[in-house]
Amino acid sequence: MRVLLVEDDTHLANGLRESLRHEGYSADVVFNGNDGLSAIKSGDFDIVILDLGLPDIDGLSVLKKAKQINKALPVLILTARDGIESKVKGLDLGADDYLAKPFSIEELLARLRVIERRLGNHSTSVIEHKGLSIDTKAHSISINEVEASFSRREYMVIKSLLENIGRIQSKEQLESKLYEWGEEVASNTIEVHISNIRKKLPKAFIKTVRGVGYVVSKT
Ligand code: CA
């Protein structure tokens, strides 16, 4: 599940991002409305958490445009405590839910789970590709329907590659994923993980693109 967070309060945004990642979501933050709209246009996200008070464009305008770009994209809006009016407007504009600030992370996670359930498909938590299946909610991986055992770090490397099927992931990108999860990363960490992962995966599942990185190809 890839979450886009549009929030100009850097302290709150970074804290939320860490919490979301800790829960197994892939989370990215942008700090203004224009960047939010670019990210939404990229089509890389499954859910948007949108603060209505943004520095450049009004959050409600971002919401309206987001729904024009992708009507089906779930948007959870964050409103100021006294923002009853904007809350109503937001829901009228197609927001799926709202949270009034201040809110607890548990509350946010509960709302996200409701939206995920409403989406009603497993594709948001399970990625299947060529006999390999990864459940990002259960943090489990199966190969040809048999559960396989991977370390936490190996799991994260596989998850990153599968969330980017067909797109090369550089060593640095994969390292940064491990860093984000608070893991120590030595210079050869990724090579070692890839080598161990390959021993458990079908042959040539992960391809090396010499000097660039690694990729799980589409076909
Ligand atoms: Ca704000």
Side-chain angles (χ1 to χ4, degrees):
M1 197 69 155
R2 295 155 304 176
V3 180
L4 173 68
L5 191 55
V6 188
E7 166 64 78
D8 62 313
D9 177 336
T10 49
H11 184 72
L12 175 63
N14 291 332
L16 287 178
R17 178 176 54 192
E18 291 321 302
S19 302
L20 289 170
R21 283 177 174 166
H22 192 75
E23 288 297 313
Y25 291 97
S26 159
D28 285 295
V29 179
V30 292
F31 302 100
N32 62 62
N34 277 312
D35 289 348
L37 286 171
S38 307
I40 289 163
K41 275 184 201 139
S42 76
D44 285 343
F45 297 94
D46 301 308
I47 287 187
V48 179
I49 299 172
L50 173 67
D51 179 33
L52 292 186
L54 294 169
D56 54 346
I57 328 173
D58 175 56
L60 287 171
S61 309
V62 176
L63 172 63
K64 205 170 168 180
K65 283 183 186 141
K67 287 287 169 178
Q68 283 163 2
I69 295 164
N70 179 2
K71 198 167 180 292
L73 182 67
V75 180
L76 172 67
I77 53 175
L78 305 180
T79 64
R81 193 207 297 262
D82 55 356
I84 304 290
E85 200 185 327
S86 55
K87 175 198 105 184
V88 172
K89 272 186 198 153
L91 293 174
D92 283 347
L93 285 172
D96 294 76
D97 204 347
Y98 73 95
L99 271 177
K101 290 180 180 178
F103 53 85
S104 70
I105 183 68
E106 285 74 21
E107 209 176 344
L108 174 66
L109 294 171
R111 302 295 179 91
L112 284 179
R113 283 194 294 272
V114 170
I115 292 176
E116 279 183 78
R117 277 200 296 274
R118 203 183 295 156
L119 286 175
N121 58 34
H122 293 288
S123 67
T124 51
S125 66
V126 178
I127 306 170
E128 286 186 2
H129 189 64
K130 294 199 267 188
L132 188 143
S133 166
I134 178 167
D135 185 332
T136 56
K137 234 179 256 170
H139 290 212
S140 66
I141 295 177
S142 320
I143 300 167
N144 297 324
E145 286 168 31
V146 178
E147 184 148 353
S149 170
F150 289 92
S151 73
R152 177 184 154 90
R153 291 158 160 228
E154 289 168 356
Y155 167 84
M156 288 177 331
V157 170
I158 296 171
K159 178 169 177 272
S160 303
L161 288 168
L162 279 177
E163 282 178 338
N164 294 284
I165 290 171
R167 286 184 294 228
I168 298 168
Q169 297 295 292
S170 69
K171 205 180 105 180
E172 291 71 26
Q173 278 171 312
L174 294 172
E175 279 172 355
S176 72
K177 288 279 155 76
L178 295 187
Y179 273 123
E180 282 166 10
W181 286 61
E183 300 282 341
E184 292 292 318
V185 182
S187 63
N188 66 343
T189 299
I190 297 299
E191 283 94 335
V192 171
H193 288 324
I194 294 276
S195 160
N196 288 331
I197 289 167
R198 275 180 169 150
K199 287 174 194 157
K200 303 179 207 174
L201 289 187
K203 205 165 172 278
F205 192 91
I206 299 173
K207 296 193 172 104
T208 302
V209 183
R210 201 170 284 279
V212 187
Y214 302 95
V215 67
V216 171
S217 58
K218 281 184 182 163
T219 56

